[in-house]
Amino acid sequence: EVQLVESGGGLVQPGGSLRLSCAASGFTLSDHYMDWVRQTPGKGLEWVGRSRNKANSYTTEYAASVKGRFTISRDDSKNSVYLQMNSLQTDDTAVYFCARVSSNYYYLDWGQGTLVTVSS
Amino acid sequence: DIQMTQSPSSLSASVGDRVTITCRASPGISKSLAWFQQKPGKAPKSLIYAASSLQSGVPSKFSGSGSGTDFTLTISSLQPEDFATYFCQQYASYPLSFGGGTKVEIK
């Protein structure tokens, strides 16, 4: 059974940093692209970024709103994907989900999400 | 960037009703469209990909159609477990983008 479990969310001050983790099981992580998506009541669902698979050299893509502040990495030996978030702003407050991407680029599975609150 | 416009934003329906939700992409996205269902406090669940293909395990009461710019999600006979919020998503190009959601409520 495929499982994606996010962790690392919490309360952080503006300008601060946080690293989210997505623990994957039930599939071979290195075979898959992995995305991060966030959700707020006001702005709905927003794609954050992507880590391509091993065959595509783990290259990344980012939304303009987070580019230069957020970094996606992974450790396939630990079956984990990470979202390093720096220079956090109040607008980054959201529930963050990781998602497994199929070879045809649609989403297969989502994690349950982790809440990040940026506030002083 | 591709803009996804979903309508209606909410609807009220009764058990047994046929429900249709629409999603418009600008510019067009061929058939690179997915639909998701989300219940309060839960992660989205993938329902449909490639505009009309059912994800494994999803009941056949859900169906999708369309290509290019106009897409629909249809629930053939609404059941109590179907009351939720539904989102569309384009995955044709970066940045990926989502519709604003349709909340399906009990009449």
Side-chain angles (χ1 to χ4, degrees):
Chain A
E1 181 196 3
V2 170
Q3 278 200 310
L4 299 171
V5 180
E6 300 92 339
S7 61
L11 175 63
V12 61
Q13 292 189 334
S17 298
L18 209 56
R19 188 176 87 152
L20 306 183
S21 299
C22 171
S25 60
F27 65 98
T28 302
L29 183 59
S30 59
D31 288 345
H32 286 270
Y33 290 22
M34 296 292 293
D35 279 12
W36 286 94
V37 175
R38 64 187 182 184
Q39 185 173 34
T40 63
K43 291 170 65 175
L45 287 163
E46 180 186 15
W47 177 77
V48 172
R50 168 167 290 176
S51 167
R52 294 186 178 88
N53 58 10
K54 183 177 181 180
N56 287 280
S57 305
Y58 303 125
T59 54
T60 54
E61 300 284 347
Y62 297 97
S65 58
V66 306
K67 195 168 185 178
R69 300 188 299 124
F70 290 12
T71 302
I72 299 174
S73 62
R74 63 162 84 192
D75 185 338
D76 290 342
S77 67
K78 294 184 178 179
N79 290 315
S80 292
V81 184
Y82 306 102
L83 180 65
Q84 177 67 43
M85 305 185 295
N86 298 331
S87 303
L88 282 161
Q89 305 163 358
T90 54
D91 278 358
D92 296 317
T93 294
V95 175
Y96 285 75
F97 298 96
C98 62
R100 181 171 72 124
V101 185
S102 76
S103 56
N104 289 312
Y105 310 113
Y106 57 87
Y107 288 179
L108 292 166
D109 310 281
W110 298 65
Q112 87 290 347
T114 187
L115 175 62
V116 172
T117 303
V118 184
S119 174
S120 55
Chain B
D1 295 4
I2 296 175
Q3 183 79 14
M4 303 301 293
T5 304
Q6 193 174 334
S7 62
S9 56
S10 65
L11 64 89
S12 295
S14 300
V15 172
D17 282 355
R18 180 183 180 90
V19 167
T20 298
I21 298 167
T22 65
C23 190
R24 177 161 289 176
S26 178
I29 56 171
S30 186
K31 300 194 76 173
S32 298
L33 184 104
W35 289 97
F36 305 97
Q37 176 195 66
Q38 188 178 31
K39 296 181 179 178
K42 300 293 187 180
K45 174 186 175 183
S46 299
L47 297 177
I48 285 171
Y49 65 94
S52 59
S53 296
L54 223 54
Q55 287 271 8
S56 175
V58 173
S60 58
K61 61 182 171 181
F62 292 98
S63 64
S65 65
S67 68
T69 59
D70 294 309
F71 302 87
T72 60
L73 171 71
T74 299
I75 310 171
S76 60
S77 177
L78 205 61
Q79 297 303 304
E81 63 270 19
D82 302 328
F83 290 95
T85 300
Y86 294 84
F87 296 93
C88 59
Q89 180 211 34
Q90 69 80 16
Y91 53 93
S93 67
Y94 299 111
L96 280 64
S97 50
F98 294 85
T102 297
K103 187 173 184 179
V104 177
E105 299 175 302
I106 301 172
K107 183 182 284 184

